[in-house]
Amino acid sequence: MSAFTKNFEAFVNMLDSKKVMRLEWQRVQLQILTPNKILANNVGHGLNAAGEVVYETVSLYLLVRDEGDWKIALFSPYDVKNS
């Protein structure tokens, strides 16, 4: 299993442990690096079944265009306090 897959799986498991039912992305910032690479940074709120925020994070993504489709090449969530 790749490091990317392990990292993403750990993130999903953590959301599950906090009973996050839905993610809402806010303050999305995009920086085009090349026509085929974009850096994205955003604040994410994890909401429980009642719609209450039970988790907040900032995530950094590197998106790459591969054969016309955009794919996540790097995913790095980090604590809001470190943003």
Side-chain angles (χ1 to χ4, degrees):
M1 182 181 296
S2 74
F4 174 81
T5 303
K6 287 179 187 177
N7 186 25
F8 192 77
E9 187 176 290
F11 177 68
V12 170
N13 289 338
M14 180 276 305
L15 293 175
D16 188 49
S17 74
K18 294 182 179 293
K19 307 269 192 263
V20 172
M21 300 299 292
R22 180 172 90 241
L23 289 174
E24 288 185 352
W25 305 115
Q26 302 175 358
R27 296 194 317 248
V28 176
Q29 298 170 320
L30 302 174
Q31 182 173 349
I32 298 171
L33 303 175
T34 71
N36 295 314
K37 291 182 186 169
I38 295 176
L39 197 58
N41 198 48
N42 68 285
V43 173
H45 290 151
L47 306 173
N48 65 14
E52 302 165 322
V53 175
V54 293
Y55 177 72
E56 187 176 38
T57 187
V58 180
S59 298
L60 180 68
Y61 298 86
L62 177 61
L63 306 171
V64 296
R65 190 182 337 227
D66 180 32
E67 297 182 11
D69 294 322
W70 287 98
K71 298 181 179 179
I72 299 171
L74 171 97
F75 167 70
S76 181
Y78 54 98
D79 192 287
V80 175
K81 293 179 279 188
N82 293 330
S83 65

